[in-house]
């Protein structure tokens, strides 16, 4: 039972480069989320999705785009990476229902030079 | 806007000690509260989810309580072990979740 899988685990980008982070869950969860975690800032929500084909902005969406073409996958894109996007990115998912717990992936550590 | 605070930011205790981690939130109109554990370089693992209708939730040596009226939750760890060393975070639902910054716990053998 894989749960929530994130790829890649590590990545170094140069300023201006683009990349896509992939999140896959095998639990048939409706809700999926992208967070970034920075020292002293805690976890901040970037974008989220409440179902296939739908996405919404979170607390810090600027500079990121997302897509949810399939229920099990949630992609996070950086079109033109900036050093301020150096962070650890976490994907999470949960099933429908107010009291369903959140399941996290192990994160992607991104460095933008 | 919902704000979640965890104090202290770091805690070091000797093995075997019972300890309490604190979480406070500003908006008491919540329907649940979750406690998570995060090990270095890893994602978050859900430990306990307390529904608003519950006062306590237990899992092994962990006991979480929720007092909505005072805007507080506590996570009690009994007979702490070095393997409990990690960062513990609480979160409350607010489109969709607001996290505290966590308490980094070190249990010294």
């Amino acid at each position: 039972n894989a749960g929530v899988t994130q790829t890649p685990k590590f990545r170094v980008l140069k300023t201006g480069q683009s990349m896509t982070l992939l999140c896959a869950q095998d639990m048939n969860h409706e809700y999926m989320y992208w967070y970034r975690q920075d020292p002293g800032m805690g976890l901040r929500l970037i974008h989220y999705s409440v179902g296939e084909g739908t996405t919404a902005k979170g607390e810090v969406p600027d500079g990121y785009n997302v897509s949810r073409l399939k229920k099990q996958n949630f992609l996070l894109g950086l079109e033109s990476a900036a050093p301020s996007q150096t962070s650890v990115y976490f994907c999470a998912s949960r099933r429908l229902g107010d009291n369903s717990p959140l399941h996290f992936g192990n994160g992607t550590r991104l460095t933008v030079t | 806007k919902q704000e979640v605070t965890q104090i202290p930011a770091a805690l070091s205790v000797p093995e075997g000690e019972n300890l309490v981690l604190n979480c406070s939130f500003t908006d008491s109109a919540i329907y649940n509260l979750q406690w998570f554990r995060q090990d270095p370089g890893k994602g978050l693992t859900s430990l306990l989810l307390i529904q608003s209708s519950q006062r306590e939730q237990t899992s092994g040596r962990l006991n979480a309580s929720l007092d909505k009226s005072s805007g507080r939750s506590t996570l009690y760890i009994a007979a702490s072990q070095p393997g409990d060393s990690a960062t513990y975070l609480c979160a409350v639902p607010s489109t969709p979740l607001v996290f505290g910054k966590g308490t980094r716990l070190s249990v010294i053998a």
Side-chain angles (χ1 to χ4, degrees):
Chain A
N1 188 2
V4 180
T5 303
Q6 292 183 233
T7 53
K9 290 183 173 55
F10 303 94
R11 186 72 185 269
V12 178
L13 287 179
K14 294 184 178 179
T15 297
Q17 288 184 319
S18 63
M19 77 163 295
T20 300
L21 283 67
L22 172 64
C23 176
Q25 52 93 5
D26 61 1
M27 298 171 283
N28 201 35
H29 286 173
E30 286 76 15
Y31 296 161
M32 296 187 74
Y33 310 87
W34 276 107
Y35 288 91
R36 59 178 290 174
Q37 187 176 40
D38 303 287
M41 301 294 290
L43 277 158
R44 293 180 292 171
L45 182 65
I46 304 171
H47 286 280
Y48 65 101
S49 169
V50 299
E52 183 179 325
T54 69
T55 63
K57 294 180 180 180
E59 182 184 359
V60 288
D62 293 343
Y64 305 95
N65 57 76
V66 289
S67 65
R68 185 126 181 245
L69 299 180
K70 295 183 178 180
K71 186 177 184 179
Q72 64 268 35
N73 295 337
F74 195 28
L75 279 62
L76 178 70
L78 287 73
E79 291 187 348
S80 179
S84 61
Q85 294 178 305
T86 294
S87 186
V88 181
Y89 292 85
F90 288 102
C91 176
S93 72
R94 70 177 182 92
R95 57 179 169 79
L96 274 175
D98 287 343
N99 291 308
S100 58
L102 204 57
H103 298 259
F104 278 83
N106 282 331
T108 295
R109 185 173 296 275
L110 175 66
T111 301
V112 183
T113 62
Chain B
K1 179 184 175 184
Q2 178 74 272
E3 294 183 359
V4 178
T5 303
Q6 292 185 249
I7 297 174
L11 182 64
S12 183
V13 300
E15 182 177 6
E17 190 163 300
N18 301 325
L19 60 101
V20 174
L21 305 180
N22 297 298
C23 171
S24 61
F25 45 93
T26 55
D27 184 351
S28 62
I30 61 171
Y31 47 84
N32 66 51
L33 183 143
Q34 270 190 262
W35 281 94
F36 294 87
R37 169 185 172 139
Q38 185 176 26
D39 293 290
K42 298 291 187 182
L44 280 70
T45 301
S46 180
L47 296 173
L48 291 164
L49 184 149
I50 315 175
Q51 300 180 31
S52 60
S53 57
Q54 300 173 316
R55 296 295 297 266
E56 290 187 356
Q57 188 72 265
T58 298
S59 175
R61 294 182 293 108
L62 305 180
N63 176 277
S65 67
L66 175 63
D67 184 345
K68 284 180 56 178
S69 62
S70 66
R72 295 182 62 185
S73 176
T74 61
L75 179 66
Y76 175 82
I77 303 177
S80 59
Q81 304 170 358
D84 295 330
S85 297
T87 297
Y88 292 82
L89 298 95
C90 63
V92 297
S94 177
T95 316
L97 270 179
V98 176
F99 286 84
K101 294 183 179 178
T103 295
R104 187 169 62 254
L105 173 65
S106 297
V107 181
I108 310 301

